[in-house]
Amino acid sequence: MKTTCILILFWPLSMLFLSDEVQTSKTEVKCNFTEKNYSLIPVDISTDVTILDLSYNKITLNSRDASVLQKYYLLTELYLIENNVSILHNNSFGNLSNLKILNICRNSIHVIQQGAFIGLNKLLQLYLCQNKILQLNPDIFMPLKNLRLLNLQGNLISYFDVPQLFHLESIILYGNPWNCSCSLLNLQNWLNTSTVTLEYEPLGKSWAFLVGVVVSVLMTSLLIFLAVKCPIWYNFLLSYNHHRLEEHEAETYENGFTENPSSLSQMPDTNSEDTTIFEQLHSFVLDDDGFIEDIYIDTHKLHEEN
């Protein structure tokens, strides 16, 4: 009985949650048209689309594209990354009142007209990174009453007046050629006094690569230093350096050879490969007088010549 009462009590609540999930799944419609080589926004997309990705095409966002976008009024996310957009015209997104994320990074935008963002009342995130924007009139952000994140990284902006963005939480400005003059004083004061977070450039994989290069250079320099200051290999090669026999050494060698004539036959045959290695090692030895011993030198003729 208690179990039945509990089920009856929570049944309407569970149905409410289930209906919300079903409604969410129905209203979220994704369309991906990336890398299609489109030069215009297609007109045959379902009007129920909520997330539209048109990145990596050749779209210019001209007046014809702006009129086509009016059809997709349910859009909450629009991605136009790496297209051919150079100018954001007035009322380019006029009918997209539900849009929350707009990403137009890596285009060639150098002009943003005064009314470019009119109608984007619910926009939360605006990405204009890696374009060619030289200057921005802060009034163009006035229609963005709920903007939380503004990304202007990697443009050509040298100064920027304080934008009237009362709900802004984060702004990304690095990668611009800022002119550190009095024109930036208001922006600096605004960043210091407001609750807006100024995000800095994150450490990417390039730093790991740079550290690897520095470590490699240091290790190579250390090995070269040890090779120069501690030439153990040189002493090893020097032990093979030959010198001209003195007279008493020649006589001793001749007597030993006469007493043991069988020693020659007992000597193992030298391998041609060993001879080649010996000659290569001998070539690295400095201060060599060029004299090579020959066990077949006739010592008697040597005495006569001397």
Side-chain angles (χ1 to χ4, degrees), residues 54-57 79-83 103-107:
L54 293 166
S55 302
Y56 311 108
N57 285 289
Y79 300 91
L80 292 166
I81 303 170
E82 200 165 314
N83 277 273
N103 193 328
I104 327 177
C105 287
R106 296 203 294 273
N107 280 268

Side-chain angles (χ1 to χ4, degrees), residues 9-254:
L9 180 62
F10 285 98
W11 177 257
L13 185 60
S14 61
M15 291 300 296
L16 180 61
F17 285 135
L18 288 175
S19 63
D20 289 341
E21 291 180 0
V22 171
Q23 185 178 2
T24 303
S25 62
K26 286 183 178 180
T27 56
E28 186 176 277
V29 180
K30 298 181 181 179
C31 291
N32 189 335
F33 295 97
T34 59
E35 297 181 303
K36 299 294 184 180
N37 204 28
Y38 288 158
S39 58
L40 298 171
I41 296 178
V43 297
D44 55 349
I45 303 175
S46 172
T47 55
D48 296 333
V49 62
T50 59
I51 300 176
L52 179 59
D53 194 345
L54 293 166
S55 302
Y56 311 108
N57 285 289
K58 298 179 180 179
I59 297 171
T60 60
L61 204 60
N62 53 23
S63 57
R64 183 262 181 195
D65 291 331
S67 63
V68 171
L69 280 178
Q70 309 298 322
K71 297 171 49 179
Y72 311 126
Y73 58 91
L74 295 178
L75 277 178
T76 59
E77 300 180 21
L78 176 60
Y79 300 91
L80 292 166
I81 303 170
E82 200 165 314
N83 277 273
N84 293 335
V85 182
S86 59
I87 300 176
L88 290 182
H89 299 277
N90 293 330
N91 297 310
S92 294
F93 316 99
N95 200 34
L96 305 182
S97 58
N98 294 306
L99 197 66
K100 295 180 179 180
I101 298 176
L102 176 59
N103 193 328
I104 327 177
C105 287
R106 296 203 294 273
N107 280 268
S108 301
I109 300 174
H110 61 277
V111 174
I112 300 178
Q113 295 184 358
Q114 184 72 24
F117 301 124
I118 289 178
L120 300 180
N121 302 323
K122 297 181 181 179
L123 193 68
L124 300 177
Q125 300 177 14
L126 175 60
Y127 297 87
L128 296 171
C129 50
Q130 298 181 28
N131 281 283
K132 298 180 180 179
I133 303 173
L134 288 170
Q135 58 183 3
L136 283 172
N137 187 339
D139 294 337
I140 65 175
F141 300 110
M142 288 292 293
L144 308 178
K145 304 295 184 180
N146 294 291
L147 191 66
R148 299 290 191 273
L149 186 148
L150 176 60
N151 190 337
L152 296 172
Q153 173 258 331
N155 281 279
L156 303 174
I157 305 172
S158 58
Y159 66 92
F160 185 42
D161 291 332
V162 178
Q164 300 299 320
L165 298 171
F166 301 104
H167 298 280
L168 192 66
E169 297 176 355
S170 179
I171 186 170
I172 303 173
L173 298 172
Y174 64 83
N176 285 278
W178 296 107
N179 182 11
C180 298
S181 61
C182 296
S183 59
L184 284 181
L185 184 59
N186 291 335
L187 179 61
Q188 182 178 359
N189 293 334
W190 175 68
L191 292 173
N192 292 334
T193 56
S194 66
T195 58
V196 177
T197 301
L198 178 62
E199 296 189 13
Y200 297 94
E201 184 174 6
L203 296 178
K205 294 182 179 179
S206 59
W207 284 96
F209 175 76
L210 179 61
V211 171
V213 171
V214 172
V215 171
S216 301
V217 171
L218 291 177
M219 293 298 295
T220 304
S221 303
L222 180 61
L223 291 175
I224 294 174
F225 176 79
L226 292 175
V228 172
K229 296 298 182 180
C230 304
I232 300 176
W233 58 273
Y234 176 75
N235 294 332
F236 174 76
L237 293 177
L238 191 62
S239 64
Y240 288 93
N241 191 14
H242 294 265
H243 59 279
R244 185 171 183 175
L245 291 176
E246 301 294 337
E247 292 184 3
H248 66 279
E249 294 177 341
E251 293 175 357
T252 304
Y253 182 81
E254 182 183 2

Side-chain angles (χ1 to χ4, degrees), residues 255-285:
N255 294 334
F257 179 76
T258 305
E259 293 175 357
N260 300 304
S262 61
S263 61
L264 181 60
S265 60
Q266 296 175 356
M267 293 179 59
D269 294 335
T270 57
N271 193 309
S272 59
E273 183 178 355
D274 295 336
T275 304
T276 303
I277 295 174
F278 170 78
E279 291 176 357
Q280 292 176 353
L281 290 174
H282 185 70
S283 63
F284 285 97
V285 180

Side-chain angles (χ1 to χ4, degrees), residues 284-299:
F284 285 97
V285 180
L286 302 176
D287 300 328
D288 191 359
D289 56 5
F291 189 86
I292 303 176
E293 284 188 25
D294 191 347
I295 60 175
Y296 301 104
I297 293 178
D298 191 345
T299 57

